Amino acid sequence: MGIGPHDTTLIATSTATYEGAVREILQLPFLYPIISVAHYRQTNVNDNYKQRLANTEESILKNGMVNPLVVLITNAAEWEQRLRIMRVGSQDDREFTKTPNVDGDIYQVMCGCKRLWIAKMAGYTHIDCLVTRSVEKAGEICSAQRKSRKAIDNTSHS
């Protein structure tokens, strides 16, 4: 038996649901971001990416991880299909990561790619995630997290 994202000898998981997703603690090596943070760090997309990344890093180091990552359980064929759709429909400089060379389920980070990158840099081994098999549900949760973050950002600058 090999080690996997749910290795319960090392971690505890929760079966509580949140907005149609299961909240779980997963190991970082089994999470694959949809967006390349390294690309954004190099190109500084939208002229403020590096600052937003620094602000997020400062917040995580000070307060811990406030929001769980949103993770879609998918497979290589589905990842490739979504990748083609996103590239065709993308109006910006997004740099999507390549499909991981993984047999079976792939844990695709749909929301929280910067937080995942920061967690890796900070030495995290596990991270709180909201896991779903529904693209639509993942999108809804990502949207809710963004709205929540904007509400916090707007009030903190007032």
Side-chain angles (χ1 to χ4, degrees), residues 114-142:
K114 284 191 300 190
R115 289 176 278 152
L116 175 62
W117 186 84
I118 292 165
K120 286 179 180 179
M121 297 299 109
Y124 281 49
T125 59
H126 298 78
I127 197 163
D128 191 19
C129 300
L130 294 172
V131 182
T132 183
R133 289 187 179 271
S134 165
V135 174
E136 293 78 16
K137 185 53 64 182
E140 290 171 18
I141 298 169
C142 289

Side-chain angles (χ1 to χ4, degrees), residues 3-7 10-11 25-31 125-127:
I3 192 169
H6 302 285
D7 181 6
L10 299 175
I11 60 174
I25 306 296
L26 298 175
Q27 294 183 53
L28 271 62
F30 298 99
L31 298 172
T125 59
H126 298 78
I127 197 163

Side-chain angles (χ1 to χ4, degrees), residues 6 10 30 43 46 61 64 85 89 93 99 102-103 114 117 121 128 144-145:
H6 302 285
L10 299 175
F30 298 99
T43 59
N46 299 327
L61 295 177
I85 292 168
D93 284 339
T99 306
V102 174
D103 291 330
K114 284 191 300 190
W117 186 84
M121 297 299 109
D128 191 19
Q145 280 190 355

Side-chain angles (χ1 to χ4, degrees), residues 34-133:
I34 186 67
I35 301 293
S36 169
V37 172
H39 167 78
Y40 282 124
R41 288 182 65 231
Q42 291 171 356
T43 59
N44 201 26
V45 173
N46 299 327
D47 296 325
N48 65 353
Y49 188 83
K50 288 181 183 177
Q51 184 59 51
R52 289 190 350 243
L53 181 64
N55 292 346
T56 303
E57 181 176 16
E58 180 181 329
S59 174
I60 288 171
L61 295 177
K62 179 179 177 184
N63 306 311
M65 198 70 63
V66 176
N67 289 312
L69 305 183
V70 179
V71 175
L72 176 67
I73 299 176
T74 190
N75 59 46
E78 290 171 350
W79 182 303
E80 282 295 321
Q81 181 181 12
R82 269 192 300 285
L83 195 59
R84 281 193 301 276
I85 292 168
M86 288 186 289
R87 281 194 172 125
V88 169
S90 179
Q91 298 296 317
D92 56 24
D93 284 339
R94 290 186 191 185
E95 178 67 25
F96 300 104
T97 56
K98 295 179 180 155
T99 306
N101 186 12
V102 174
D103 291 330
D105 287 341
I106 299 173
Y107 289 74
Q108 183 179 44
V109 177
M110 299 295 287
C111 188
C113 297
K114 284 191 300 190
R115 289 176 278 152
L116 175 62
W117 186 84
I118 292 165
K120 286 179 180 179
M121 297 299 109
Y124 281 49
T125 59
H126 298 78
I127 197 163
D128 191 19
C129 300
L130 294 172
V131 182
T132 183
R133 289 187 179 271

